[in-house]
Amino acid sequence: IDPEQYDDAIIVLEGMLKGMPDSADLQYLAGVSYDGKGDDDKAMAHFKRVTPDNRFYENAVVHISILYQEQKKITEAIAYIKTAIENNPDNPEFMLYLGSFNEEMEAYSDAETALKKGLDIDPGHVRIQFRLGVVYDKWGKKSESIAAMQKVIALDPENANALNYLGYTYADMGTNLDEAESLIRKALKYKPDDGYITDSLGWVLYKKGLFQEALIYLEKAVELTVDDPIILEHLGDAYLQIQDRENALKYYQESLRIKTEDTEKLKNKIRDLLEP
């Protein structure tokens, strides 16, 4: 399995399972092998035979949940993870996934409930705390989102994702810009080639009115990421501020080509540039 020789692994494992069909360890390894081959149905069939008392049960549940998610079967993923919680109610990872799936369904209240239960089990669980902050942000609860991200940073001061998230939130709100820049520069120290963090730094510099300096980072962010409409629009905004209408229009149009929702504001920017 480690060198991804899945066909060979399956031959061995299926042979062993004929003699030990109730071995949860073998069922799990067979699931991993079929998952590696991209055979979702067989992978799930084997993962589902891993029993709750087995050391691989948590991994098997996560594999099954993610397979459902990849198949766009979020309702099934939620139902399955709830069954796993019934079998193992004190597992914070299951609460994390339940919260994430509810977040994907935009059921933010349910997501909050699941994530808070996870934190009741493990108050220091950084990923659950981070996810809660994202849920609050999507829910429109900015102050709660900021508080959650601050808790993540208190738990893990080198968490680049939380540093960036909080810094970008401040920048987008146009508040605490010096602190925002400090947070994002710290995040960039831990992930120097991350296009999204690079964009965040460009955006906070833009918000501070440092348009030429912002352009340096926003251009680099576009190079580091593949067709992100928000970053392209940020770059267009920066070019517009230095009166480079040609490049502003270019990047607005590139952004619109990719963007699938909330496009009206961007279309208005393009119309303004095209008007004589």
Side-chain angles (χ1 to χ4, degrees):
I1 293 174
D2 285 343
E4 299 183 358
Q5 296 174 3
Y6 298 120
D7 289 324
D8 293 339
I10 286 167
I11 291 170
V12 174
L13 289 164
E14 291 289 9
M16 295 175 73
L17 280 167
K18 288 178 181 178
M20 294 184 289
D22 295 327
S23 170
D25 283 12
L26 293 179
Q27 293 289 353
Y28 174 73
L29 294 173
V32 171
S33 299
Y34 279 114
D35 189 23
K37 280 176 60 65
D39 190 331
D40 292 356
D41 291 339
K42 287 188 176 179
M44 291 178 80
H46 284 288
F47 284 137
K48 285 182 178 180
R49 294 194 65 181
V50 179
T51 51
D53 60 343
N54 184 264
R55 57 180 172 154
F56 293 124
Y57 180 66
E58 179 182 306
N59 290 349
V61 168
V62 169
H63 272 290
I64 292 168
S65 301
I66 291 173
L67 286 169
Y68 275 134
Q69 183 184 37
E70 290 172 350
Q71 295 171 356
K72 309 298 182 185
K73 296 179 179 179
I74 300 300
T75 302
E76 289 89 338
I78 290 172
Y80 185 78
I81 207 81
K82 282 183 176 179
T83 300
I85 289 169
E86 289 175 7
N87 292 325
N88 193 341
D90 295 324
N91 188 307
E93 288 295 314
F94 294 167
M95 296 300 179
L96 172 60
Y97 281 93
L98 179 58
S100 297
F101 295 146
N102 278 309
E103 173 193 337
E104 193 166 334
M105 294 284 286
E106 298 184 2
Y108 299 129
S109 179
D110 292 338
E112 177 192 34
T113 298
L115 295 169
K116 282 190 170 182
K117 284 181 180 177
L119 289 173
D120 287 341
I121 297 166
D122 182 1
H125 199 299
V126 171
R127 288 184 298 132
I128 293 179
Q129 189 69 61
F130 181 87
R131 201 77 249 147
L132 184 60
V134 175
V135 167
Y136 281 138
D137 189 20
K138 291 182 177 180
W139 204 356
K141 297 187 174 187
K142 286 290 184 184
S143 60
E144 289 90 341
S145 177
I146 288 169
M149 289 302 165
Q150 288 171 335
K151 287 181 182 178
V152 175
I153 294 168
L155 290 167
D156 180 9
E158 297 181 4
N159 191 303
N161 292 333
L163 290 164
N164 177 60
Y165 206 105
L166 182 57
Y168 184 84
T169 298
Y170 284 146
D172 217 36
M173 293 170 65
T175 187
N176 300 335
L177 294 180
D178 288 339
E179 183 182 354
E181 182 178 350
S182 176
L183 288 163
I184 295 166
R185 286 189 184 278
K186 188 175 180 181
L188 205 57
K189 183 174 72 172
Y190 299 121
K191 288 187 174 182
D193 296 318
D194 188 294
Y196 298 99
I197 300 176
T198 303
D199 168 68
S200 295
L201 182 54
W203 193 234
V204 75
L205 292 169
Y206 173 93
K207 289 285 190 169
K208 295 177 85 168
L210 304 171
F211 303 121
Q212 290 288 358
E213 191 176 350
L215 271 171
I216 296 170
Y217 291 99
L218 292 172
E219 286 173 347
K220 184 179 179 182
V222 168
E223 292 174 4
L224 290 170
T225 56
V226 179
D227 291 341
D228 184 284
I230 301 300
I231 296 176
L232 289 165
E233 186 175 355
H234 285 170
L235 184 54
D237 288 342
Y239 273 118
L240 187 61
Q241 288 295 334
I242 63 167
Q243 306 305 312
D244 188 337
R245 296 169 63 88
E246 182 179 350
N247 270 317
L249 180 61
K250 171 187 171 182
Y251 287 108
Y252 285 154
Q253 288 174 330
E254 284 191 28
S255 176
L256 184 61
R257 177 176 56 84
I258 305 159
K259 204 168 186 181
T260 57
E261 55 187 25
D262 299 326
T263 59
E264 195 56 39
K265 186 176 178 182
L266 181 57
K267 288 177 180 177
N268 289 335
K269 292 179 182 179
I270 292 171
R271 287 192 202 102
D272 290 343
L273 286 169
L274 289 174
E275 287 179 357

